[in-house]
Amino acid sequence: MKLQTKIHLFSSVFMLILIVLINTAIYFLFYKVSADSELDQLAGQTDVITETLNKNPDIAEEELLKAFLPNDGMIRVIDKDSTTVIPTLTKKNEYRRLASSYTTTENRKMDKTANQDNVAVIEKPIIWDNGDIVTLQVSKHLVILQENMKILFYVLLFASVVMLIPILIGANILSRFLLNPIKALTGAMKENATRTKWKKIKVHSSKSKDELYEMEKTFNEMIERLSENFQKQDVFVSDASHELKTPISIVKSYAQLLSRRGLEHPDLFYESVEAIETEADRMQKLVEQMLNLAKSQLKTELQDVDFLILCSEVIKIFQGAASRDIEFTTSQQGFIVKGDRDRLEQVVYILIDNALKYSDNSIDVHLTHDAEWVTFTVTDYGQGIPVEEQGRIFDRFYRVDKARSRETGGTGLGLPIAKEITEAHHGELKVTSQIGKGTTFILKIPLSIKN
Ligand code: ADP
């Protein structure tokens, strides 16, 4: 069943039940109030009859009672054997079938004749002329009440139908109001699923900022991010294949050279094998870094990492491998950050590795913190990075000096990886550099335990 039909059906049935319940309550309340007032009136008349009987003992009771007989009604006198003391007084025979019983208390009740007419009945004990206590039963057909109830029934029925019309129109407007944005959304989703184009939808009602507005806005934001990611992915795939082409074609040329002239020129053999090995290493590094970039998400469970210990360990690895001076300074304690230790280690590694690769002298590493941030800086005194290039070095595969970078085995993926990991830790990575003087990378990670 369509959502539109469901909304129609639910709202109409719900409102119909509500209207029927309210109208039934109105109907029976009106009946109760009117019947009570009719019974009061008849009880008053019965009191007048008993008073007149008491005041006129000389007049025959039957004659007196005849004078009080209502046009549409009946008067009956019942003794304790439940037999009528005088013949039942009535102009219509159907009243004779009304129940008769002896009672010593005053009763008021509603009854129905054989024709289903509503009848008010008052039963009252009185003293008869022979001294016996008998029951005086006075009944009256409630003609006006019956007519009024009939009119009320038709009025309520008409009102129910009239009320249902705006309800149906309202349900229609509501379902359109709710479903049109959903239809637009579904249409856009279908189009996006079949085409490569990323289609957004028109955002309505920006003033009310309701749930539909939120849904449309969120959908457009999602499409924006998807299209950006797909674009990035496209660029990444074409850049990656371009980067891999160079080493592959070098390996292929050397392999061809070997097959053509390798046997006659043994010196070529060693040169070719060395070149093939270097290019294979390059490809391996490139592939490893591409994989690193692809899985830039952090571990789901982050841990408290002591950044001081982490830096000391990475520096120790470099000091063991390279014969370069790394000056590490810090004057504080308490460098605990929340994060993925392996990924943070990778950032520190990339920054120190770059500083060593792109300078020839010693480098300075400094660690400090304030109330909110751990700040890690790596300074080298090398060639520096031109100002216009400083914004681009965080782009994938971007290298300032392609030849130098190739010599040092650079892939142009180190800084993008470092930047992504930093941002995943809600930190920031910046660079300041002066040509010929050197470069400083500043890494900031939020402190886990704020001071
Ligand atoms: P690579 O693998 O080429 O080093 P990166 O992404 O780490 O890739 O760096 C991108 C480019 O930024 C490098 O090719 C280099 O030109 C430049 N660069 C990075 N660090 C430094 C530095 N400390 N000094 C000078 N240039 C640097």
Coordinates of all heavy atoms in Angstrom, one line a residue, residues 285 289 350 354-355 357-358 380 383-385 393 398-401 405 409-416 439 441, ligand 1:
K285 N 57.4 1.0 -2.3 CA 57.1 2.1 -1.3 C 55.9 2.8 -1.7 O 55.0 3.1 -0.9 CB 58.3 3.0 -1.3 CG 58.2 4.0 -0.2 CD 59.4 4.9 -0.1 CE 59.2 5.9 1.0 NZ 60.2 7.0 0.9
Q289 N 52.5 3.2 0.5 CA 52.0 4.5 0.9 C 50.6 4.7 0.4 O 49.8 5.3 1.1 CB 52.9 5.6 0.5 CG 54.3 5.5 1.2 CD 54.9 6.9 1.4 OE1 55.1 7.6 0.4 NE2 55.2 7.3 2.6
I350 N 57.3 10.6 9.3 CA 57.3 11.3 8.0 C 57.9 12.7 8.2 O 58.8 13.1 7.3 CB 55.8 11.5 7.5 CG1 55.3 10.1 7.1 CG2 55.8 12.5 6.3 CD1 53.8 10.1 6.8
N354 N 61.4 13.7 6.3 CA 61.5 14.7 5.3 C 62.6 15.7 5.7 O 63.4 16.1 4.8 CB 60.2 15.5 5.2 CG 59.2 14.8 4.3 OD1 59.6 13.8 3.6 ND2 58.0 15.3 4.2
A355 N 62.6 16.1 6.9 CA 63.7 17.1 7.4 C 65.1 16.5 7.1 O 65.9 17.3 6.6 CB 63.5 17.3 8.9
K357 N 65.7 14.2 4.7 CA 65.9 14.1 3.3 C 66.2 15.4 2.6 O 67.0 15.4 1.6 CB 64.6 13.5 2.7 CG 64.5 12.0 2.6 CD 63.3 11.5 1.8 CE 62.0 12.1 2.1 NZ 60.9 11.4 1.5
Y358 N 65.6 16.5 3.0 CA 65.7 17.7 2.3 C 66.6 18.7 3.0 O 66.5 19.9 2.7 CB 64.3 18.3 2.1 CG 63.4 17.4 1.3 CD1 62.3 16.7 1.9 CD2 63.6 17.1 -0.1 CE1 61.5 15.8 1.2 CE2 62.9 16.2 -0.8 CZ 61.8 15.6 -0.2 OH 61.1 14.7 -0.9
D380 N 64.4 22.1 10.0 CA 65.7 21.7 9.3 C 66.3 23.0 8.7 O 65.6 24.0 8.7 CB 65.5 20.7 8.3 CG 64.6 21.2 7.1 OD1 65.0 22.1 6.4 OD2 63.5 20.6 7.0
Q383 N 67.1 23.5 2.1 CA 66.8 24.3 0.9 C 65.5 25.2 1.1 O 65.4 26.2 0.4 CB 66.7 23.5 -0.3 CG 65.5 22.5 -0.2 CD 65.6 21.3 -1.1 OE1 66.7 20.8 -1.4 NE2 64.5 20.8 -1.5
G384 N 64.6 24.7 1.9 CA 63.4 25.5 2.1 C 62.3 25.2 1.0 O 62.7 24.5 0.0
I385 N 61.1 25.7 1.2 CA 60.1 25.5 0.2 C 59.5 26.8 -0.2 O 59.2 27.7 0.6 CB 58.9 24.6 0.8 CG1 59.4 23.3 1.4 CG2 57.8 24.4 -0.2 CD1 58.4 22.6 2.4
I393 N 52.1 21.3 -1.0 CA 52.9 20.1 -0.6 C 52.0 19.1 0.1 O 52.4 17.9 0.2 CB 54.1 20.4 0.2 CG1 53.7 21.3 1.4 CG2 55.2 21.1 -0.6 CD1 54.8 21.6 2.4
Y398 N 52.3 15.5 -4.9 CA 52.9 16.7 -5.2 C 54.3 16.8 -4.7 O 54.6 16.5 -3.5 CB 52.1 17.9 -4.7 CG 52.6 19.2 -5.3 CD1 52.3 19.6 -6.6 CD2 53.5 20.0 -4.6 CE1 52.8 20.8 -7.1 CE2 54.1 21.1 -5.2 CZ 53.7 21.5 -6.4 OH 54.2 22.6 -7.0
R399 N 55.3 17.1 -5.6 CA 56.7 17.2 -5.1 C 57.2 18.5 -5.7 O 57.0 18.9 -6.8 CB 57.5 16.1 -5.6 CG 57.3 14.8 -4.8 CD 57.6 13.6 -5.5 NE 56.5 13.4 -6.5 CZ 56.5 12.3 -7.3 NH1 57.4 11.4 -7.2 NH2 55.5 12.2 -8.2
V400 N 57.9 19.3 -4.8 CA 58.4 20.6 -5.2 C 59.5 20.4 -6.3 O 59.4 20.9 -7.4 CB 59.0 21.4 -4.0 CG1 59.5 22.7 -4.5 CG2 57.9 21.6 -3.0
D401 N 60.5 19.6 -5.9 CA 61.6 19.4 -6.8 C 61.6 17.9 -7.2 O 62.1 17.0 -6.5 CB 63.0 19.7 -6.1 CG 64.2 19.5 -7.0 OD1 64.0 18.9 -8.1 OD2 65.3 20.0 -6.6
S405 N 63.4 14.9 -5.3 CA 62.5 13.9 -4.7 C 62.7 12.5 -5.1 O 62.7 11.6 -4.4 CB 61.1 14.4 -4.9 OG 60.2 13.5 -4.3
G409 N 64.0 9.1 -3.1 CA 63.0 8.1 -3.1 C 61.6 8.6 -2.6 O 60.8 7.8 -2.1
G410 N 61.4 9.9 -2.9 CA 60.1 10.5 -2.4 C 59.0 10.1 -3.3 O 59.1 9.8 -4.5
T411 N 57.8 10.0 -2.8 CA 56.6 9.6 -3.5 C 55.6 10.7 -3.6 O 54.6 10.7 -4.4 CB 55.9 8.4 -2.9 OG1 55.6 8.8 -1.5 CG2 56.8 7.2 -2.9
G412 N 55.7 11.8 -2.8 CA 54.7 12.8 -2.8 C 53.5 12.4 -2.0 O 52.4 13.0 -2.1
L413 N 53.6 11.3 -1.2 CA 52.4 10.9 -0.4 C 52.6 11.0 1.1 O 51.6 10.9 1.8 CB 52.1 9.4 -0.7 CG 51.5 9.1 -2.1 CD1 51.4 7.6 -2.3 CD2 50.2 9.7 -2.2
G414 N 53.8 11.3 1.5 CA 54.1 11.4 3.0 C 53.3 12.5 3.7 O 52.6 12.2 4.6
L415 N 53.4 13.7 3.2 CA 52.7 14.8 3.8 C 51.1 14.7 3.8 O 50.5 14.9 4.8 CB 53.1 16.2 3.3 CG 54.5 16.6 3.7 CD1 54.9 17.9 3.1 CD2 54.7 16.7 5.2
P416 N 50.6 14.2 2.6 CA 49.1 14.0 2.6 C 48.7 13.0 3.7 O 47.7 13.2 4.3 CB 48.8 13.5 1.2 CG 49.9 13.9 0.4 CD 51.1 14.1 1.2
T439 N 63.2 24.9 6.9 CA 61.7 24.6 7.0 C 61.4 24.1 8.4 O 62.1 23.4 9.0 CB 61.4 23.5 6.0 OG1 61.8 23.9 4.7 CG2 59.9 23.3 5.9
F441 N 58.0 22.3 10.3 CA 56.7 21.7 10.3 C 56.2 21.7 11.8 O 56.9 21.4 12.7 CB 56.7 20.3 9.8 CG 56.7 20.2 8.3 CD1 57.9 20.2 7.6 CD2 55.5 20.3 7.6 CE1 57.9 20.2 6.2 CE2 55.5 20.3 6.2 CZ 56.7 20.2 5.5
Ligands
ADP1 P1 58.0 13.0 -0.6 O1 57.9 11.5 -0.5 O2 58.3 13.4 -1.9 O3 58.9 13.5 0.4 P2 56.0 14.4 0.9 O4 54.6 14.4 0.7 O5 56.5 14.0 2.2 O6 56.6 13.5 -0.3 O7 56.5 15.8 0.6 C1 56.0 16.5 -0.5 C2 57.1 17.5 -1.0 O8 57.3 18.6 -0.1 C3 58.4 16.8 -1.2 O9 58.6 16.2 -2.4 C4 59.4 18.0 -1.0 O10 59.5 18.6 -2.3 C5 58.6 19.0 -0.1 N1 59.1 18.8 1.3 C6 58.6 18.1 2.3 N2 59.3 18.3 3.4 C7 60.3 19.2 3.1 C8 61.3 19.8 3.9 N3 61.5 19.5 5.2 N4 62.1 20.6 3.3 C9 61.9 20.9 2.0 N5 61.0 20.4 1.2 C10 60.2 19.5 1.8

